[in-house]
Structure formats: structure tokens, C-alpha cells
């Protein structure tokens, strides 16, 4: 982890960079907005249930966007729903992260050809950080996506603004 | 001087913590008392019927999985029995037995989610974790057979996609032995829990005549006292060979037709599904599951409507064929679409907190409402 | 329990000019054709008559028959003109255990069917969906508006065979 590599001297003193400290705090407790749209939502619920536990990574579902760090878009996004997702995204405070889970949120999924009401990928409306492929992705795949997001947060810097 | 009051419109928007999906409820309230509820749907409309007209008959099967994503085997079952009725082909016995076992396992898995989310909405978070642990056993049985946990594409027209694993029978029997005590545990945790009974008894009472006029089906109709089950009324596949009962609501802790009755019907149905699986698991005959699958599926011109009993109610497929490789029209009669119309009737005169209990007892899945 | 031919005879004696015929060519079940503006009276008779007692409407579906002529409009795309849109009703009786299928057809240019909202309340949302997807107007329906598509969708009725997709909706690109 890099943070506790430094020697303890004079008891209980750790020396680290501020960037590392802030990033470590942010990635260890990503509170997600509970936002399940379709079939991927059930796999997300199964990931946060007891068999594949989400809570051991510090991820708890919150009910309102004002208290959430991340939003996991799980399921098909339709045109009717896309305007509401934009509004939810704008209500979340910075720093915020988006995980796009499943084929439908990545690129329209199986409904790309004749779906007249399906938005072909959520990145047409909001900027995405991590894409998790699958239809639906296994819980292990979603955990891998979460680890990649933690990797991304670890490399952030306070001086550069987050996109 | 009289107190000036006015009604307020409260929006329970498409994003809310209840895990039923994207549904918008517009409540007309006066204080905490509800005067009217208007559901708005369409936030998950994925154009299934347009896709069905552009794909060939076997290519539609993965799309039917995604309609009611908690009972994917049941959706497949309905579609393939409808097309087989139109084609008029005979299915091997082995395929019929495996289809029934898979459909009943799926019924148990779907009821587990329904009960877990019903409890979680009301505030009981512990049964949610316990029941999802038990659901993982069923999902591992499915994964052993066809490789997928939730959306299988398993039942094909005339057969199945994979034969069952050699260990499947043994593991299913282990699951049955493991699951019976879980129902007892569930009854102790949730069913006869005093707080749960206070929240759900005498709430959302549905008389039988209203239920039939609105077209309700499944546990919603059986909770009001009418023993109507498509498996006994219009037997499809080999259900007429098995011995099982139809549980109905009897008003044990409240009135007949309240939320608790609908919930208890689901608990009893899980026990009946275990009975069917026990009767079927030892009798699976030998055979080839791929032998009756036709090379090219081109049904004759005509229309057919056929229905199956899904965990949520009566799922019907209406298919019109014009002699080509693609269907001309596929219409899905989704049980949750019809059951949701009851929200306006059931919520009148209750409080805002009861809306959540009533919605949980109706057990809707937005994937099949919006198609 | 009656079979469809007996039900057809019973209806023919009661409503002579409204029942248009019975189609026995279909492989699974005969279909009775009814006049579109009188379907509500026929429905009430079917529900209340003691020998029939059809108290449950299983499904109501709109269908685009696509039996008109193909013409090209100003953009050069194929449109269908003429022909009919149909609505199929599948009824079922919980006491007497028999089933029947009814069908009404209306012209494509001005589709109007009477609503059966007062007979079976199931038809409330089913008719709204048939209006949303095909454009069939149901007379005497208390609240006929779109149900699945957004309320301000102006690009037409999606399940018709000659439907064209719009390019943009509220700033979002619709095709792939």
C-alpha cells in the first residue's frame, strides 16, 4: 500500500505524501448510490449480499445522490431515463466516479440494432470512469471493476483537477 | 375560522431505494393519508417486440430471458411451448422432465428474491442476507448445467441447449435436504414476526371479484382466496403427472387478501415446488435432448396464444406467424403489467408508509412491465 | 363448457349484424370477427350472460396487418397506405373454463375502436399500450395517453411496420 512502509519512529508517527493519504482515504470507502435499472441490478445486489461481499471493500449503498461518491449504472438506459440520470449526476458532489456495468450501459447491449428507445451507451450523456463488460457481469467481474477504480483513484493528484 | 387544507402531490421518482426497479409513483396525499396513486412506467422500455419481429424464432429466446430477469427459465418455457404448439412437434420425455425441474428451481429462486426485497423494504435487513445465501445454491446448480447464473438461453425450441451434468441429481437432492430447514428459519425470522405482521396485516385488502376483473394472477389472485393456477387449469408440459397443492390466502393473521396473505402464499409455494422436484428428480428417463430440435423453424401461417405459470403470475405469449423465418408479431402478456394496475385501487385510504408494503407484496419486475 | 362454434351461434342470434364471421382456418383456435364500434356491447353480453360468463380478459393486443399497398413518401422510404390495424381479444371464464378469441379490424388511416374499459378493467393499460405503439384511438377511454414512450414523443407509433427512427431526441443521438 505504500503508506505504512515508512518506519515508525517515536511511536505512532507515519510519514506520507498528502496525495497518498487523501487517495487512500477516498478509495477505501466508496459509497455508492443504489441505482439498479435492470438485470444487472440483481447481480449488483448479489455482489453486496453475503456470498460476494461488497462491504469488505468499504462500499455501502446510500439512498440519495448527495451523500454518494460513486454511481454504478447497472442496466439498460432508455431515452426516458437518460434525462433523469443526468440530473442525478449533477446532484452528486465532487469527487464522483461512474462505473458502467453491463453491455447495455457500455454500448447499448443486445438492443443496439432495433432499439428505438434505448440509449446506446451511457457515455453519450455522462463521462464514465470504468467499463465492466458482461451480460450480466459475474459478481467477480464487478469486483474487478471496483479494484480498477481503486487503482485509478490511487494515481490521482490533488493539484490536477479530476475530469 | 376553518383550517385551510390542500392536497399535495408527492413524487416517488424513478430512483428510489426500494429495489423494484425504475417505477415512478405519483401520490396525491393529504397529510399522510393517500387519496390516489398513479404509476408511470416506461423507463425501461427496451423494444422487445420490435426485436422479435427482426430476429428468427430461435434468436428471440435470449431476449425473452431479459423480460422477467428473476424468472428467466419460466420466460423461456413459455416462449418455447408456444412455438412448439404452433409447429406441432413432439418433445422427448427427458426434455420435459428437465424443463419442469428447472422451472420449479427457478420458482424457488424468484420467490426468495421477492420475499427478501419485501422484507428489506419494510426494514428487515437480515432475511435479505440469509435468503440470498440460499439463492446462491440454486444459481450454482444452474451454472453447473448451462454456464450462466441468471440469464440462461437454456430452453430451445424442441429441446435444451445442454444436457444435465452427471452430478446434478445428487446435488439437487442435497439442496432439497438443506433447504427445508431454511423455510422453518424464515418463518421464525420474518413470517410470524410481530413487527412484520403489524406492517402487513389488514393492509391492501383485495376482494376476489376486483382481482378477477382487473386480471390479476399468481400469488396476488391466490392470496385473495381463489385457487387458480395455470398448471392445474390449462396443464402444459407434464405437470398433470405430479401431485401438488395450490396454497391460497386464508386470513390467518388478518383479513383474507391482505399483504400478509400474498406473502404467505409465496412461502407455501416454495414448499410445493420442493415436492414437485422430489417427485421428478428420480424419474428422469434416458434420451437425447437435441434429437427433436428442427433444423429450420418455419411455422405455418396462424396465430396462437399460450400461457404458463411464472412465479409472478400468468405469463402469456401471443404469436402470429406468416410463414417466414421471423415471427410477424409477438405480444407478451406480462403478469406484473396487469398486477400493477391494482396499485390505484389498493392504496386508497392508507398511509404513505403502506404504499411500500403494498408494492412489495405485489412483487413486480420492471423488465416485463416495460418490455 | 362450450366450444367456439356454439358461442358463435349464441352471439349471432343476439347481435346479428355486428358479428362479422368466424375464421376457422387458423391452426389452434377459431377467431370471431366483430364490428369495431360495437365491441363494448358484445363484451358486456359475454361477461354477464349466465351460460358464457367470460369474466376475465387475458390479453388485448394490437396488430399491424401490413396488408395495404407499399408507396414511397417524399424521402424515398417505404410507407404503407391503406390496409387495416387489428385488435385481438382473448377471453377466459374462471367458472366455466372455456376460452374464446375475438378480433376487430379498423382502417389504417383513421383507426377507431370502442373501449371495453367498463367491461373488464384489465383493458385500461392494454388499450393505452395499443394506442402508444400503433396509434389506435379507443373511444370512451377515460385517460388515453402514451404509456411506454415519453409523453412528448412525436416521431410516430413505433410498432407499425413503416416506422422510421428520429435522429435526435432532446440532444441525444438515437441510432447506434
Amino acid at each position: 500500500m505504500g503508506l505504512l512502509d515508512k518506519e515508525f519512529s517515536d511511536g505512532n508517527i507515519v510519514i506520507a505524501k498528502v496525495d497518498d493519504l487523501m487517495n487512500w482515504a477516498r478509495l477505501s470507502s466508496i459509497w455508492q448510490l443504489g441505482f439498479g435499472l435492470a438485470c444487472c441490478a440483481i447481480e449488483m445486489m448479489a455482489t453486496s449480499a453475503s456470498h460476494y461481499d461488497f462491504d469488505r471493500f468499504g462500499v455501502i449503498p446510500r439512498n440519495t445522490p448527495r451523500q454518494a461518491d460513486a454511481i454504478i449504472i447497472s442496466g439498460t438506459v432508455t431515452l426516458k431515463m437518460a434525462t433523469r440520470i443526468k440530473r442525478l449526476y449533477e446532484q452528486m458532489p465532487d469527487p464522483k466516479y461512474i462505473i458502467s456495468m453491463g453491455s447495455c450501459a457500455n454500448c447499448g447491449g443486445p438492443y443496439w440494432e432495433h432499439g428505438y428507445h434505448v440509449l446506446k451507451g451511457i457515455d453519450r450523456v455522462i463521462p464514465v470512469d470504468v467499463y465492466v463488460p458482461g451480460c450480466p457481469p459475474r459478481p467477480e467481474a464487478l469486483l474487478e471493476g471496483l479494484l480498477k477504480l481503486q487503482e485509478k483513484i490511487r494515481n490521482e493528484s490533488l493539484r490536477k483537477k479530476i475530469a | 375560522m376553518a383550517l385551510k387544507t390542500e392536497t399535495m402531490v408527492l413524487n416517488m421518482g424513478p430512483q428510489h431505494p426500494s429495489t423494484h426497479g425504475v417505477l415512478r409513483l405519483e401520490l396525491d396525499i393529504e397529510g399522510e393519508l393517500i387519496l390516489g396513486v398513479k404509476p408511470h412506467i416506461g423507463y425501461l422500455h427496451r423494444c422487445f417486440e420490435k426485436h422479435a419481429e427482426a430476429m428468427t424464432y430461435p434468436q428471440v429466446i435470449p431476449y425473452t430471458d431479459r423480460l422477467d430477469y428473476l424468472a428467466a427459465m419460466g420466460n423461456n418455457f413459455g416462449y418455447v411451448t408456444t412455438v412448439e404448439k404452433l409447429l406441432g412437434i413432439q418433445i422427448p420425455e427427458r426434455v420435459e422432465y428437465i424443463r419442469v425441474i428447472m422451472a420449479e428451481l427457478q420458482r424457488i429462486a424468484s420467490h426468495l428474491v421477492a420475499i427478501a426485497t419485501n422484507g428489506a423494504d419494510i426494514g428487515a435487513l437480515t432475511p435479505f442476507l440469509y435468503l440470498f445465501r440460499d439463492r446462491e445454491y440454486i444459481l450454482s446448480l444452474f451454472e453447473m448445467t448451462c454456464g450462466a447464473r441468471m440469464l440462461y438461453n437454456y430452453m430451445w425450441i424442441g429441446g435444451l441447449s445442454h444436457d444435465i451434468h452427471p452430478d446434478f441429481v445428487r446435488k439437487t437432492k442435497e439442496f432439497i435436504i438443506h433447504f427445508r430447514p431454511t423455510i422453518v428459519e424464515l418463518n421464525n425470522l420474518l413470517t410470524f414476526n410481530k413487527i412484520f405482521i403489524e406492517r402487513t396485516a389488514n393492509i391492501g385488502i383485495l376482494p376476489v371479484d376486483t382481482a378477477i376483473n382487473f386480471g390479476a394472477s399468481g400469488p396476488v389472485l391466490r392470496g385473495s382466496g381463489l385457487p387458480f393456477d395455470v398448471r392445474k387449469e390449462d396443464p402444459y408440459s407434464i405437470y398433470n403427472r405430479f401431485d401438488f397443492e395450490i396454497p391460497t390466502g386464508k386470513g390467518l393473521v388478518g383479513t383474507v387478501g391482505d399483504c400478509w396473505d400474498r406473502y404467505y402464499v409465496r412461502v407455501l409455494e416454495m414448499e410445493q415446488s420442493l415436492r414437485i422436484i422430489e417427485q421428478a428428480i428420480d424419474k428422469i428417463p434416458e434420451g437425447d435432448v437435441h434429437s427433436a430440435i428442427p433444423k429450420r423453424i418455419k411455422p405455418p401461417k396462424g396465430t396462437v396464444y399460450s400461457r404458463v405459470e411464472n412465479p409472478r403470475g400468468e405469463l402469456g405469449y401471443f404469436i402470429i406467424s406468416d410463414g417466414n423465418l421471423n415471427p410477424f408479431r409477438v405480444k407478451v402478456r406480462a403478469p406484473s403489467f396487469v398486477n400493477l394496475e391494482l396499485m390505484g385501487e389498493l392504496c386508497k385510504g392508507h398511509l404513505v408508509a403502506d404504499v411500500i408494503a403494498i408494492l412489495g407484496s405485489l412483487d413486480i419486475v420492471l423488465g416485463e412491465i416495460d418490455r | 363448457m362450450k366450444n367456439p362454434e356454439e358461442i358463435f351461434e349464441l352471439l349471432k342470434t343476439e347481435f346479428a349484424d355486428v358479428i362479422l364471421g368466424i375464421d376457422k382456418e387458423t391452426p389452434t383456435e377459431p377467431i370471431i370477427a366483430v364490428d369495431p364500434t360495437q365491441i363494448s356491447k358484445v363484451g358486456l353480453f359475454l361477461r354477464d350472460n349466465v351460460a358464457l360468463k367470460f369474466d376475465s380478459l387475458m390479453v388485448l393486443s394490437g396488430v399491424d396487418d401490413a396488408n395495404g399497398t407499399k408507396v414511397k413518401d417524399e424521402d424515398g422510404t417505404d410507407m404503407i397506405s391503406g390496409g387495416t390495424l387489428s385488435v385481438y381479444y382473448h377471453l377466459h371464464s374462471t367458472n366455466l373454463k372455456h376460452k374464446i378469441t375475438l378480433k376487430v379490424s379498423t382502417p389504417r388511416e383513421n383507426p377507431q375502436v370502442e373501449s371495453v374499459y367498463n367491461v373488464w378493467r384489465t383493458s385500461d393499460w392494454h388499450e393505452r399500450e395499443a394506442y402508444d405503439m400503433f396509434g389506435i384511438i379507443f373511444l370512451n377511454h377515460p385517460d388515453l395517453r402514451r404509456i411506454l414512450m415519453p409523453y412528448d414523443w412525436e416521431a410516430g407509433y413505433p410498432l407499425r411496420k413503416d416506422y422510421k427512427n428520429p435522429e435526435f431526441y432532446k440532444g441525444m443521438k438515437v441510432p447506434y
Side-chain angles (χ1 to χ4, degrees):
Chain A
M1 182 103 65
L3 198 60
L4 300 177
D5 284 352
K6 316 289 188 285
E7 289 279 329
F8 281 79
S9 58
D10 285 337
N12 295 343
I13 297 182
V14 173
I15 304 180
K17 296 194 284 192
V18 174
D19 270 346
D20 282 346
L21 195 63
M22 297 291 290
N23 291 343
W24 172 70
R26 278 185 188 153
L27 65 87
S28 308
S29 80
I30 302 179
W31 286 3
Q32 53 141 349
L33 175 65
F35 193 58
L37 289 164
C39 352
C40 286
I42 308 294
E43 287 294 52
M44 190 175 73
M45 275 160 51
T47 314
S48 50
S50 32
H51 203 92
Y52 308 92
D53 194 4
F54 233 175
D55 200 2
R56 57 197 158 122
F57 295 97
V59 177
I60 5 180
R62 300 296 299 171
N63 297 332
T64 142
R66 308 246 181 220
Q67 297 170 356
D69 292 318
I71 180 170
I72 303 185
I73 311 273
S74 51
T76 320
V77 183
T78 56
L79 298 176
K80 207 169 179 179
M81 195 64 206
T83 42
R84 277 80 173 171
I85 293 187
K86 187 111 183 42
R87 188 186 276 200
L88 281 176
Y89 174 73
E90 283 160 7
Q91 280 181 349
M92 282 168 69
D94 270 341
K96 50 194 175 198
Y97 307 100
I98 319 281
I99 301 182
S100 157
M101 175 183 177
S103 290
C104 290
N106 290 344
C107 62
Y111 305 101
W112 67 274
E113 206 177 352
H114 303 278
Y116 45 82
H117 192 233
V118 171
L119 186 67
K120 317 287 188 296
I122 189 66
D123 49 7
R124 291 189 180 188
V125 183
I126 56 181
V128 174
D129 289 307
V130 174
Y131 295 86
V132 180
C135 188
R138 284 191 61 104
E140 287 98 337
L142 182 60
L143 291 176
E144 163 98 22
L146 180 73
L147 291 178
K148 284 239 176 337
L149 180 66
Q150 288 188 339
E151 215 30 69
K152 188 172 179 180
I153 300 178
R154 194 170 287 137
N155 297 331
E156 274 178 355
S157 156
L158 277 182
R159 278 188 292 132
K160 292 198 288 276
K161 243 186 125 40
I162 308 158
Chain B
M1 195 151 65
L3 197 61
K4 178 166 168 276
T5 59
E6 54 183 45
T7 59
M8 182 167 108
V9 174
L10 187 66
N11 184 38
M12 290 175 88
Q15 184 262 333
H16 66 93
S18 268
T19 46
H20 295 289
V22 277
L23 169 69
R24 177 174 161 224
L25 293 172
E26 205 182 304
L27 310 172
D28 289 319
I29 54 179
E30 183 174 324
E32 278 275 322
L33 201 65
I34 302 227
L35 301 172
V37 170
K38 274 202 301 230
H40 296 261
I41 58 177
Y43 291 93
L44 198 59
H45 178 57
R46 293 186 277 194
C47 335
F48 165 75
E49 297 175 356
K50 195 86 180 173
H51 277 88
E53 292 174 13
M55 309 268 155
T56 60
Y57 282 90
Q59 283 178 333
V60 177
I61 300 179
Y63 288 92
T64 61
D65 266 336
R66 284 146 176 86
L67 285 175
D68 174 1
Y69 34 84
L70 289 171
M73 288 285 187
N75 301 348
N76 282 353
F77 206 173
Y79 180 72
V80 299
T81 44
T82 313
V83 180
E84 282 159 9
K85 224 182 200 177
L86 200 55
L87 285 171
I89 55 180
Q90 273 290 81
I91 322 286
E93 287 277 310
R94 186 177 173 85
V95 170
E96 299 271 33
Y97 272 88
I98 298 178
R99 278 185 184 174
V100 166
I101 294 175
M102 291 299 179
E104 293 306 314
L105 279 173
Q106 182 71 77
R107 190 182 310 271
I108 299 178
S110 170
H111 279 325
L112 284 175
V113 177
I115 294 175
T117 49
N118 194 2
D121 289 343
I122 290 183
L125 294 171
T126 314
F128 178 82
L129 298 168
Y130 278 52
L131 295 177
F132 266 69
R133 170 201 66 183
D134 291 308
R135 184 171 172 256
E136 293 290 331
Y137 286 107
I138 304 182
L139 294 187
S140 68
L141 283 175
F142 285 143
E143 195 180 345
M144 182 165 50
T145 317
C146 61
R149 279 165 53 102
M150 205 165 85
L151 303 169
Y152 319 104
N153 187 13
Y154 185 61
M155 303 197 188
W156 285 358
I157 300 174
L160 305 168
S161 73
H162 296 82
D163 205 345
I164 55 175
H165 196 266
D167 273 343
F168 182 81
V169 177
R170 178 179 63 87
K171 284 209 176 276
T172 310
K173 288 187 184 166
E174 278 172 18
F175 165 73
I176 297 178
I177 297 175
H178 161 86
F179 191 65
R180 280 221 159 89
T182 309
I183 301 189
V184 177
E185 188 184 53
L186 170 67
N187 280 342
N188 289 339
L189 259 182
L190 194 60
T191 313
F192 297 108
N193 185 328
K194 185 162 186 288
I195 304 179
F196 189 71
I197 294 180
E198 290 274 324
R199 281 294 300 262
T200 51
N202 295 320
I203 304 280
I205 300 174
L206 178 65
V208 170
D209 295 322
T210 318
I212 300 179
N213 202 9
F214 271 81
S217 54
V220 175
L221 181 60
R222 290 196 277 278
S224 298
L226 184 71
F228 183 84
D229 188 325
V230 180
R231 295 175 288 178
K232 296 252 185 196
E233 292 281 320
D234 242 345
Y236 54 96
S237 185
I238 48 169
Y239 273 105
N240 45 4
R241 294 189 209 173
F242 299 116
D243 174 37
F244 60 99
E245 289 168 8
I246 304 177
T248 57
K250 294 189 174 51
L252 277 180
V253 296
T255 353
V256 176
D258 59 9
C259 291
W260 194 87
D261 267 347
R262 294 191 274 273
Y263 160 86
Y264 196 50
V265 163
R266 289 189 183 107
V267 175
L268 294 174
E269 272 184 15
M270 289 202 291
E271 176 66 43
Q272 298 299 317
S273 286
L274 280 181
R275 266 176 82 180
I276 299 179
I277 299 176
E278 265 177 344
Q279 291 169 42
I281 195 75
D282 283 320
K283 296 204 198 112
I284 305 180
E286 295 301 320
D288 182 13
V289 300
H290 293 267
S291 58
I293 299 182
K295 285 266 180 309
R296 263 189 137 209
I297 299 186
K298 238 185 176 190
K301 266 194 178 188
T303 69
V304 64
Y305 176 73
S306 132
R307 48 190 183 157
V308 293
E309 178 79 19
N310 234 17
R312 277 165 188 82
E314 168 194 323
L315 173 70
Y317 282 88
F318 173 59
I319 299 186
I320 304 185
S321 146
D322 60 349
N324 282 339
L325 289 170
N326 302 351
F328 183 73
R329 170 93 166 101
V330 175
K331 161 102 172 116
V332 176
R333 185 255 191 225
S336 309
F337 184 72
V338 182
N339 288 350
L340 189 56
E341 297 182 54
L342 285 167
M343 275 300 277
E345 283 290 310
L346 290 178
C347 291
K348 289 202 177 107
H350 288 294
L351 306 176
V352 174
D354 297 328
V355 170
I356 305 289
I358 296 175
L359 191 61
S361 77
L362 286 181
D363 189 17
I364 54 171
V365 165
L366 264 295
E368 65 178 358
I369 295 183
D370 289 338
R371 270 160 279 132
Chain C
M1 216 184 127
K2 292 189 179 316
N3 63 11
E5 279 83 12
E6 291 170 10
I7 300 178
F8 176 64
E9 293 305 318
L10 205 60
L11 282 175
K12 199 87 179 140
T13 49
E14 182 77 23
F15 300 95
D17 53 344
V18 162
I19 310 289
L20 300 174
I22 182 166
D23 178 12
K24 294 205 203 147
E25 303 292 311
T26 53
T28 42
E29 209 188 28
I31 302 178
I32 300 181
V34 182
D35 185 59
T37 47
Q38 308 288 331
I39 183 75
S40 172
K41 285 212 292 273
V42 176
L44 265 174
F45 175 74
L46 284 168
R47 188 188 72 176
D48 296 331
N49 183 299
V50 184
L52 298 176
K53 271 207 177 175
F54 281 109
D55 52 1
S56 128
L57 170 70
M58 292 196 287
V59 67
L60 189 165
S61 28
V63 175
D64 181 357
D65 291 322
N67 49 5
T69 48
K70 287 203 171 25
V71 298
K72 284 211 185 295
D73 74 344
E74 56 264 8
D75 298 329
T77 45
D78 282 323
M79 304 281 280
I80 303 183
S81 112
T84 56
L85 299 172
S86 308
V87 179
Y88 285 74
Y89 301 78
H90 292 262
L91 307 171
H92 162 80
S93 166
T94 43
N95 297 1
L96 302 174
K97 321 266 187 226
H98 46 204
K99 294 195 254 200
I100 192 73
T101 310
L102 304 176
K103 170 181 168 172
V104 302
S105 296
T106 73
R108 196 192 183 87
E109 263 48 32
N110 184 16
Q112 285 185 352
V113 175
E114 200 183 348
S115 159
V116 290
Y117 179 87
N118 296 325
V119 186
W120 299 286
R121 277 299 292 271
T122 325
S123 57
D124 187 359
W125 278 15
H126 280 115
E127 288 177 350
R128 276 179 70 184
E129 188 191 336
Y131 166 68
D132 191 5
M133 295 282 122
F134 291 95
I136 303 176
I137 311 272
F138 287 90
L139 310 164
N140 307 328
H141 190 275
D143 185 23
L144 196 68
R145 56 196 161 107
R146 289 196 184 260
I147 187 170
L148 295 176
M149 303 298 286
Y151 292 131
D152 55 358
W153 187 260
E154 274 151 28
Y157 300 107
L159 273 178
R160 288 198 183 184
K161 296 283 179 186
D162 54 356
Y163 170 73
K164 267 185 317 195
N165 245 335
E167 190 67 27
F168 278 95
Y169 171 70
K170 284 197 179 158
M172 297 178 280
K173 184 156 179 280
V174 175
Y176 183 61

